[in-house]
Amino acid sequence: LLFAPAQFSAANLRSCDFSRSTFNHYQFNTPDAENPADLSFANLKEVTFSHCNLSVVDLVAAKAYGIRVEHCQMQGADWGWLG
């Protein structure tokens, strides 16, 4: 799946299945990093993040096998323990 650019700040995306998806120019947080999305426990197998803002996003226990991250902001992202 290829998702069009969008903003997911403060979104609850816990346990969602995004396997084999591509996120291009997505905002998973506001520019001031005050409202991060929650992607904990999400299935991110073979996902591509390109030009995304993943700053301070919660990725604890996300299944992240084969993920690609290209030109993304990721300061303070909480990877916790990945599945």
Side-chain angles (χ1 to χ4, degrees):
L1 295 174
L2 173 61
F3 292 98
Q7 184 162 344
F8 278 138
S9 58
N12 181 354
L13 303 171
R14 288 177 64 95
S15 302
C16 288
D17 185 354
F18 293 115
S19 56
R20 296 183 179 90
S21 298
T22 298
F23 295 93
N24 193 14
H25 294 278
Y26 261 69
Q27 299 297 315
F28 289 92
N29 203 337
T30 53
D32 59 4
E34 292 292 323
N35 296 297
D38 182 357
L39 285 162
S40 58
F41 300 95
N43 183 353
L44 304 176
K45 181 180 178 184
E46 298 178 19
V47 165
T48 298
F49 293 103
S50 179
H51 299 92
C52 294
N53 180 358
L54 294 160
S55 298
V56 197
V57 169
D58 187 354
L59 295 156
V60 171
K63 295 175 185 152
Y65 177 78
I67 140 180
R68 288 180 60 186
V69 179
E70 306 165 339
H71 310 287
C72 295
Q73 296 177 18
M74 299 185 68
Q75 302 88 335
D78 186 358
W79 292 92
W81 50 277
L82 294 176

